[in-house]
Amino acid sequence: MTVETGIKLTTWKAIKNPPYPAEGAGNQTLNFTHLLAAVIGIPLFTAYYFCLGFYTCLILFFPLGVSVFGLFLFISSRISSPYNNKVQLPGKKVEEYFKVRDENLSKYVGRNKIPMEIFFENYFDDKIDLCGDALEILEVRHDWASFEIGLGQAKFFITQWIPETLWHSKKQDEDQVRDHYDRGDDFYEAFLGETMVYTSGIISDPNKSETLEEIQKNKLKFVCEKMKFKSGERHLDIGCGWGTLVAYAAKNYGVDSTGITLGKNQTEFGNNRIKDYGVDSGQARIVCMDYRDIPSRPKYNKITCLEMAEHVGVRHFSTFLAQVRDMLEDDGMFFLQIAGLRRTWQYEDFIWGLFMAKYIFPGADASCPLNWFVNQLECAGFEIYNIDTIGVHYSGTIYRWYKNWLENREKITAKYGKSATCYQIVAHKNFNAFDRASLIPQRFVA
């Protein structure tokens, strides 16, 4: 027990240990009885008061019920208190954490906390200056920020997130991926480092400070050994990124490996990486293709998919799993790694989730809790034999990305501009702080 924070803190060398792991209001403070009564009762009362007919009532029930649901959460996020929070925050004035450049933000002083959405949008617009390191400030965000659902994010959710979730066309996915990942390989190398792997690494020892390259190589070995790769087996990596797993598996385990990505830059980079690894193009290759267009024959012995299936979306997920199962040999294995939200949610989760959807990972709406993926896999006919939750490993990975980014910030900003790099660096800082509370990457082997 520490005097400063009120709870026992971790002291692992492998990660940036959170100094104030506070948690906010969420499902544990939400009165679901009141919510259900409002969602059902208000439409029924409206129909009764205006003497509406049965069919008119049915037509109005859904849009009115959804509106009431949204309004209930909107208000609840403003008035709910944290659930059983023992963390003792510093209690500093807001202006000790940041300074405002815009007079419209001048009211956020003293202990008047700023809504997180207003904070990051105005930070992007250069209307807020931080008083110190951004990660350190965000680690204590509950001392100066509130996590109420704002009108801007509500608008984004209704006008963009919902339509994209319902649609998820090939053209939409292609545009989002290429706009995001074809920005420039040097942009990503600035924080991903030499391995160019944009997924969580694996920490071998919590009491050891491994480099980014070491934990990513740990992960590559972990995946290959978990999949029991054998020389000559056919391996498919869906959403292969820059192709490092494909090249690594082909070189070290002798598999015939194919990587699929929508990124044109990633395709070129990955095929060059295969050559650099000394692997013949007849044994490994990266193909620029939508996952829906992958030929189903000949079948594969092993299929991997690391942090790409979120972009498949909730609507297409069962179809995606059926496709994967059809492409596998009868005794084949499927490795799935997902970055999903925990089942017990906070309003903060919604804020960061929509932030990531808007600025960092557009179209990744299938970032669901663990039980949802287990159900989807089993309903698709897979037998799950192993699950690992690696949230702490992801925290350590992102912290290393963050340090790399700071080292290369000036060079990348000079080439891509301040606005292009601002989102990424804030995302890494937010994501690193948020990760310990809500982001839980899961590994499935089915």
Side-chain angles (χ1 to χ4, degrees), residues 25 59 135 232 293:
I59 293 172
L135 177 57
D293 297 326

Side-chain angles (χ1 to χ4, degrees), residues 254-282:
V255 295
D256 184 285
S257 192
T258 300
I260 301 295
T261 178
L262 275 173
K264 292 182 178 180
N265 288 0
Q266 291 181 331
T267 301
E268 181 180 359
F269 184 99
N271 283 316
N272 287 332
R273 168 143 291 187
I274 290 169
K275 294 178 184 177
D276 293 341
Y277 273 44
V279 178
D280 188 86
S281 60

Side-chain angles (χ1 to χ4, degrees), residues 156 160-161 164-165 168 172-173 176-177 308-315 353 356-367:
F156 170 79
Q160 188 168 333
W161 191 89
E164 289 181 351
T165 299
H168 257 298
Q172 173 189 315
D173 293 348
Q176 289 177 335
V177 167
M308 171 273 176
E310 301 94 314
H311 295 274
V312 169
V314 172
R315 176 170 171 257
M356 300 297 286
K358 184 177 181 180
Y359 291 114
I360 308 302
F361 297 126
D365 57 87
S367 296

Side-chain angles (χ1 to χ4, degrees), residues 37-86:
V39 170
I40 296 177
I42 291 178
L44 289 178
F45 175 79
T46 303
Y48 171 79
Y49 185 82
F50 291 101
C51 300
L52 301 177
F54 177 74
Y55 291 107
T56 304
C57 181
L58 286 180
I59 293 172
L60 291 178
F61 189 84
F62 179 74
L64 188 56
V66 171
S67 299
V68 171
F69 177 79
L71 183 61
F72 191 97
L73 291 181
F74 183 82
I75 296 173
S76 181
S77 68
R78 284 163 164 71
I79 63 175
S80 298
S81 300
Y83 175 76
N84 193 27
N85 195 344
K86 301 178 182 178

